[in-house]
Amino acid sequence: MHQNDEKHESNQNNAYTNANFFTAAFTQNPYPVYEKLRKDDPVFKVMFPQGEFGWIISRYEDAVQVLKDSRFSKDMIKRYGAEHQSIFSSNMLFSDPPDHRRLRGLVQKAFTPKLVADMRSHIQSIADTLLDHLPSQETMNLIDDFAFPLPIIVISEILGVPTEDRDKFRMWSNTVIDASTAKSPELFEQHEREFTEYLTAWFAKVRKDPGQDLISQLVIAEEAGEQLTEKELLGVVSLLIIAGHETTVNLIGNGILALLEHPEQRDLLIQQPELIHQAIEEMLRYNGPVEFSTSRWASEDIEFRGQRIAKGEMVIVALDSANRDEEQFKDPKVFDITREKSAHLAFGKGIHLCLGAPLARLEGEIAVSTLLNRFPNMRLQADVDTLEWRPGMIVRGVKEIPVQLK
């Protein structure tokens, strides 16, 4: 994130403890910790914020292996039992084959590269309209005024839910994303209940009058039998609403922030707009929107890089660490939009590769290009070190980014 990561480096020796993780300083800039981990302790056992011991994988090569290894299960029911399952875990992200293939197959046809590409002009229209109707043409909060509404409008239209309910979706989404650091389990349960009631009522409406949207297709599939259970329908739709905007919000926010921190790169992109595809890939690599993979659990005792991972233990890949691995990327601390296409892990790897990656890339390209075309002199209105990063262990993003537009 910072042009000079070294100034934030810890003076501690190789030994790392839980005190190095999940602090305000770590959330602000985790990269010095990751660099030490990759060098000294790449498969590291830690106490996660929710109170469970597990392993953090920090090197690129190891990350790829874990993400593709079927011995690391994603199924929460196998690990914790059905009584601990919530609607937010009844989907393809937290399932193993063959359930994973069945659940993913029902929705992936809505996110094919061709269908996504056909949405370009409509997404461009949404971006233009949002910027046309800014409260001020002099300043804005990049997140609230642009980075959040753009993807939530897009995914709401795909699913068929009202865009006027986007503030509710944001509230529910924040509760799920920040669950690892949540102070109130009661709030999580309340929001889960509200989200469930909202979707259940919407499904009932769709059953009476189905349309061409994705929820209608999923409800019809459920009605046909053997496709989705009611809980799976809730799980898949809630995942699409949450994941369908969270990744893109932080791709846009982190990406623009990187350009504002590196004005020579911003100027280069303005001069050579054809670099936008490479620029988006570098934004995803440099300070990616998903910091950690979601949880996996060892389905058996596994010897991995000299460590014994016991059956049932949690394993999480530090995606943003893998994307800064010196063994995989030349000058990984450097933000360079001319970098050759890199096999970053921002969208994961293997069978759980992010379903919405083509859509997120397209939205990111349109959002960044439109902002730079409209406001080429845009600049940050705050010291980057004072920006507040979101808590939680999944997404990496800033709560607010105040910018001067002209």
Side-chain angles (χ1 to χ4, degrees):
M1 183 187 78
H2 298 275
Q3 295 186 38
N4 184 10
D5 282 344
E6 285 80 357
K7 69 180 180 179
H8 298 278
E9 294 238 358
S10 166
N11 292 323
Q12 296 199 16
N13 294 322
N14 291 351
Y16 262 73
T17 68
N18 218 84
N20 296 98
F21 296 90
F22 317 126
T23 63
F26 177 83
T27 301
Q28 179 77 11
N29 181 22
Y31 294 107
V33 174
Y34 290 149
E35 185 176 357
K36 296 282 283 185
L37 274 190
R38 290 193 301 272
K39 178 182 177 184
D40 301 325
D41 217 342
V43 182
F44 183 77
K45 195 165 191 177
V46 69
M47 172 76 82
F48 290 113
Q50 65 269 39
E52 181 174 356
F53 274 107
W55 301 86
I56 291 179
I57 310 298
S58 56
R59 288 180 182 167
Y60 181 93
E61 185 179 343
D62 296 343
V64 170
Q65 183 169 337
V66 168
L67 293 172
K68 297 174 73 173
D69 192 332
S70 61
R71 295 177 300 171
F72 294 105
S73 171
K74 295 279 288 177
D75 194 325
M76 295 185 75
I77 296 179
K78 292 177 184 175
R79 176 63 181 86
Y80 299 111
E83 65 273 16
H84 296 289
Q85 187 182 33
S86 79
I87 67 161
F88 303 119
S89 57
S90 303
N91 55 59
M92 54 274 195
L93 187 59
F94 290 104
S95 62
D96 298 329
D99 281 344
H100 170 267
R101 191 178 304 110
R102 173 177 60 89
L103 294 169
R104 187 178 176 103
L106 286 168
V107 296
Q108 66 182 3
K109 58 181 175 290
F111 297 94
T112 63
K114 182 183 186 307
L115 284 178
V116 169
D118 289 344
M119 297 177 66
R120 177 178 288 275
S121 61
H122 183 56
I123 296 173
Q124 182 66 62
S125 175
I126 295 170
D128 289 335
T129 300
L130 286 170
L131 294 182
D132 286 342
H133 294 90
L134 288 174
S136 163
Q137 290 292 314
E138 300 295 326
T139 63
M140 76 167 171
N141 173 358
L142 177 68
I143 303 299
D144 286 352
D145 294 335
F146 188 65
F148 169 73
L150 174 62
I152 198 66
I153 290 171
V154 172
I155 195 63
S156 295
E157 291 183 351
I158 291 173
L159 290 169
V161 292
T163 56
E164 58 263 29
D165 290 333
R166 62 194 186 199
D167 288 336
K168 294 179 183 177
F169 299 150
R170 188 179 194 178
M171 176 182 66
W172 294 327
S173 174
N174 285 341
T175 297
V176 176
I177 293 296
D178 300 341
S180 63
T181 56
K183 301 293 190 295
S184 172
E186 294 80 13
L187 183 63
F188 181 90
E189 292 171 3
Q190 175 192 332
H191 285 178
E192 180 183 28
R193 184 171 59 255
E194 290 173 358
F195 205 179
T196 300
E197 291 170 353
Y198 177 94
L199 291 178
T200 301
W202 192 257
F203 297 159
K205 180 179 179 181
V206 168
R207 285 188 177 97
K208 294 178 181 177
D209 185 23
Q212 300 302 310
D213 54 84
L214 184 54
I215 287 182
S216 294
Q217 294 176 30
L218 293 174
V219 165
I220 291 169
E222 184 213 9
E223 293 285 288
E226 297 185 5
Q227 300 294 322
L228 285 170
T229 66
E230 180 75 8
K231 182 171 279 191
E232 287 172 341
L233 182 60
L234 286 165
V236 168
V237 173
S238 62
L239 172 67
L240 292 173
I241 291 174
I242 295 169
H245 78 274
E246 282 285 359
T247 300
T248 311
V249 170
N250 297 304
L251 164 57
I252 297 169
N254 296 359
I256 292 294
L257 185 60
L259 290 175
L260 296 178
E261 287 189 273
H262 302 83
E264 78 288 349
Q265 296 293 300
R266 179 197 62 190
D267 293 345
L268 178 61
L269 186 53
I270 291 172
Q271 295 160 10
Q272 300 183 47
E274 67 275 10
L275 288 174
I276 185 61
H277 306 295
Q278 287 170 255
I280 293 297
E281 297 308 307
E282 180 66 347
M283 292 170 186
L284 287 164
R285 183 204 68 83
Y286 179 73
N287 199 14
V290 182
E291 184 166 359
F292 291 97
S293 71
T294 47
S295 304
R296 285 163 169 77
W297 296 272
S299 61
E300 60 188 69
D301 292 344
I302 298 172
E303 293 292 328
F304 189 83
R305 297 293 185 262
Q307 299 283 10
R308 180 182 179 275
I309 301 176
K311 180 179 179 179
E313 287 188 326
M314 183 188 297
V315 178
I316 288 181
V317 173
L319 299 171
D320 279 349
S321 174
N323 287 336
R324 294 275 190 111
D325 191 336
E326 302 81 358
E327 297 297 316
Q328 179 69 24
F329 304 98
K330 181 181 178 182
D331 299 324
K333 297 180 185 178
V334 175
F335 178 66
D336 178 9
I337 66 169
T338 67
R339 188 183 296 271
E340 291 300 314
K341 185 175 181 180
S342 60
H344 62 72
L345 302 179
F347 291 119
K349 196 79 172 178
I351 65 170
H352 291 282
L353 181 73
C354 178
L355 184 71
L359 181 60
R361 284 186 165 102
L362 178 61
E363 290 177 293
E365 289 176 12
I366 291 172
V368 172
S369 296
T370 305
L371 276 170
L372 291 183
N373 287 337
R374 188 83 64 104
F375 306 112
N377 298 315
M378 179 174 55
R379 59 191 183 276
L380 195 60
Q381 262 195 318
D383 187 320
V384 69
D385 291 318
T386 67
L387 297 178
E388 183 180 358
W389 291 81
R390 292 177 59 183
M393 278 193 54
I394 301 178
V395 302
R396 176 158 180 78
V398 184
K399 288 185 175 182
E400 296 183 353
I401 303 179
V403 293
Q404 185 78 34
L405 296 175
K406 298 179 179 179

